[in-house]
C-alpha cells in the first residue's frame, strides 16, 4: 500500500538541509517535514546526555506531525544518540551507518578518513563501524569544529586562502595517513567539498552522508512498501525552534535554494518530552 505520510527529517539546525537536498533528489515524490533545532544549535560541542535529550524531543515533535519514517540528518545525533530511536513507533535512519558502508566499498588501500564535530569524533561511531565491516582498515579521524560557523558565514570557496588554511590544518593528519576515502561526517561539510578536494587531491573519494543515507532510505521504503504514490505534487514543511535574520542566506548556502521565512513554523521544542517512558 502506498503511504503518503511525510518523511520526518531533523537536525540540530539548518545543516540537515544538505541531507534534505539528497533526499529530494533520490525520492522526489516524498512529502517531507523538516525540523531544525536552530534555537539550540550547535549540538557538536554539547555533552552526550544533552544531545540525547534534544534528539528525543526532536523525534517527539516529528511524531506529532504523523511521519512514517524519521531521518536524523545530523552527524552528531547519528553518532551519539542512535539509541534514542529504539522506542520509536516508526522506522529510523541516521547518517553514520550508510556512509560507512559506502566508504568501506570505495576504499582500495583500506585507509579511511573521518571528519566531524567534536562530539561525533569523540564518540568514535564511524571508526567502530568501519572496523566492524573492514577489520584491517586504518582509520584516521579529525574533529573540525570551525567548519560549521565558516560555512554559515558563507566562507567556503576553494579560492579563499582562509578557508584553505583551515582545511589544511584540520585535514593534515588525514592527508599524512594517505587515505583514499574520506567520510564528510557532518551536515555542513559537503559545502566545503571543493576546498577539501583541493587539499586532499582529486584521487581521494569524498563520501557525502546525505547521498548515502537517501539511497538507503529509498530502499527501506521500497522494501517496506511505504513509498508515496506520487499522485499529488510533493510538499515540504519547515519547522525551526528559532528564526534568525540570517536564516534565508544560510538556507541558500546549504540547500541551494531560497526558502521563504514566512513559510516556516516556529516550534517551542521544550514542550516535547525528552523520553519515551
Ligand atoms: N548538524 C551537526 C552535525 O552534522 C553540525 C552542527 C552542530 O554542531 O550542531 O554534526
Amino acid at each position: 500500500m502506498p503511504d503518503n505520510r511525510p518523511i520526518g527529517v531533523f537536525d540540530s539546525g539548518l545543516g540537515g538541509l544538505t541531507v534534505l537536498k539528497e533526499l529530494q533528489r533520490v525520492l522526489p515524490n516524498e512529502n517531507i517535514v523538516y525540523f531544525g533545532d536552530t534555537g539550540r544549535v550547535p549540538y557538536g560541542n554539547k555533552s552526550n546526555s544533552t544531545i540525547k535529550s534534544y534528539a528525543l524531543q526532536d523525534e517527539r515533535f516529528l511524531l506529532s506531525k504523523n511521519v512514517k519514517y524519521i531521518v536524523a540528518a545530523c552527524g552528531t545525533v547519528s553518532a551519539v544518540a542512535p539509541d534514542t530511536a529504539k522506542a520509536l513507533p516508526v522506522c529510523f535512519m541516521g547518517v553514520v551507518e550508510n556512509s560507512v558502508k559506502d566508504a568501506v566499498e570505495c576504499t582500495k588501500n583500506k585507509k579511511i578518513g573521518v571528519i566531524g564535530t567534536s562530539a561525533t569524533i569523540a564518540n568514535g561511531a564511524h571508526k567502530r563501524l568501519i572496523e566492524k565491516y573492514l577489520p584491517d582498515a586504518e582509520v584516521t579521524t579529525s574533529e573540525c569544529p570551525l567548519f560549521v560557523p565558516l560555512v554559515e558565514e558563507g566562507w567556503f570557496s576553494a579560492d579563499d586562502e582562509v578557508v584553505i588554511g583551515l582545511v589544511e590544518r584540520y585535514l593534515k593528519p588525514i592527508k599524512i595517513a594517505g587515505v583514499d576515502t574520506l567520510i564528510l561526517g557532518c551536515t555542513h561539510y559537503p559545502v566545503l567539498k571543493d576546498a577539501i578536494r583541493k587539499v586532499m587531491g582529486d584521487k581521494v573519494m569524498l563520501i557525502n552522508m546525505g547521498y548515502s543515507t537517501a539511497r538507503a532510505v529509498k530502499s527501506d521504503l521500497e522494501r517496506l512498501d511505504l513509498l508515496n504514490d506520487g499522485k499529488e505534487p510533493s510538499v515540504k514543511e519547515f519547522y525551526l525552534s528559532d528564526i534568525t535574520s540570517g536564516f534565508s542566506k544560510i538556507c541558500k548556502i546549504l540547500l541551494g535554494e531560497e526558502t521563504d521565512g514566512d513559510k516556516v513554523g516556529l516550534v517551542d521544542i521544550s514542550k516535547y518530552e525528552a523520553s519515551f517512558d
Side-chain angles (χ1 to χ4, degrees):
M1 274 285 283
D3 189 330
N4 294 350
R5 288 177 299 162
I7 298 174
V9 180
F10 76 95
D11 178 49
S12 55
L14 297 171
L17 295 176
T18 61
V19 177
L20 176 82
K21 190 172 166 184
E22 301 301 328
L23 281 164
Q24 286 185 139
R25 215 148 58 89
V26 174
L27 288 161
N29 291 335
E30 294 299 322
N31 298 315
I32 296 182
V33 174
Y34 181 92
F35 173 67
D37 197 2
T38 43
R40 305 190 294 197
V41 72
Y43 286 9
N45 58 7
K46 303 258 178 347
S47 68
N48 287 355
S49 63
T50 298
I51 295 166
K52 282 181 190 170
S53 66
Y54 286 179
L56 282 163
Q57 290 181 306
D58 303 345
E59 290 157 10
R60 276 269 181 206
F61 166 71
L62 288 176
L63 286 177
S64 77
K65 294 284 161 197
N66 192 31
V67 296
K68 62 181 172 188
Y69 197 106
I70 291 183
V71 178
C74 180
T76 305
V77 167
S78 306
V80 173
D83 286 358
T84 58
K86 279 197 181 134
L88 284 176
V90 295
C91 288
F92 171 90
M93 178 89 68
V95 284
V96 172
E97 175 121 24
N98 292 291
S99 48
V100 164
K101 284 186 184 158
D102 281 352
V104 164
E105 247 173 55
C106 275
T107 185
K108 301 262 184 306
N109 71 5
K110 299 185 180 175
K111 294 181 182 178
I112 299 175
V114 184
I115 52 176
T117 64
S118 303
T120 297
I121 298 304
N123 177 277
H126 293 86
K127 187 166 157 55
R128 280 193 301 281
L129 273 176
I130 292 169
E131 288 167 355
K132 175 177 146 197
Y133 293 121
L134 193 63
D136 54 347
E138 210 179 280
V139 185
T140 310
T141 64
S142 180
E143 57 183 86
C144 310
L146 292 176
F147 280 179
V148 168
L150 196 73
V151 167
E152 296 203 354
E153 201 49 46
W155 294 14
F156 49 82
S157 163
D159 296 325
D160 184 325
E161 57 188 27
V162 174
V163 173
I164 291 297
L166 201 58
V167 173
E168 274 172 346
R169 185 154 170 173
Y170 278 142
L171 266 54
K172 193 169 175 196
I174 293 186
K175 195 163 160 111
I176 290 172
V179 306
D180 68 356
T181 307
L182 174 61
I183 298 178
L184 308 182
C186 170
T187 45
H188 290 60
Y189 301 177
V191 179
L192 286 165
K193 68 177 183 322
D194 292 344
I196 293 173
R197 200 165 272 138
K198 191 166 180 179
V199 169
M200 293 301 295
D202 286 343
K203 294 207 176 74
V204 173
M205 186 64 150
L206 304 183
I207 304 292
N208 177 334
M209 62 187 197
Y211 183 54
S212 305
T213 304
R215 280 163 26 244
V217 172
K218 182 175 183 211
S219 64
D220 248 9
L221 293 178
E222 281 166 353
R223 184 175 52 82
L224 299 165
D225 201 14
L226 286 178
L227 284 167
N228 190 328
D229 59 21
K231 287 190 182 140
E232 303 283 332
S234 60
V235 177
K236 276 179 292 171
E237 281 176 43
F238 293 96
Y239 296 91
L240 301 175
S241 53
D242 189 24
I243 302 176
T244 60
S245 54
F247 162 77
S248 212
K249 178 190 116 191
I250 299 174
C251 280
K252 179 100 177 76
I253 293 169
L254 293 161
L255 187 59
E257 57 185 73
E258 303 277 352
T259 304
D260 188 349
D262 297 345
K263 294 200 188 106
V264 177
L266 189 59
V267 176
D268 177 4
I269 195 68
S270 66
K271 66 174 211 225
Y272 293 85
E273 256 191 77
S275 89
F276 280 103
D277 303 334

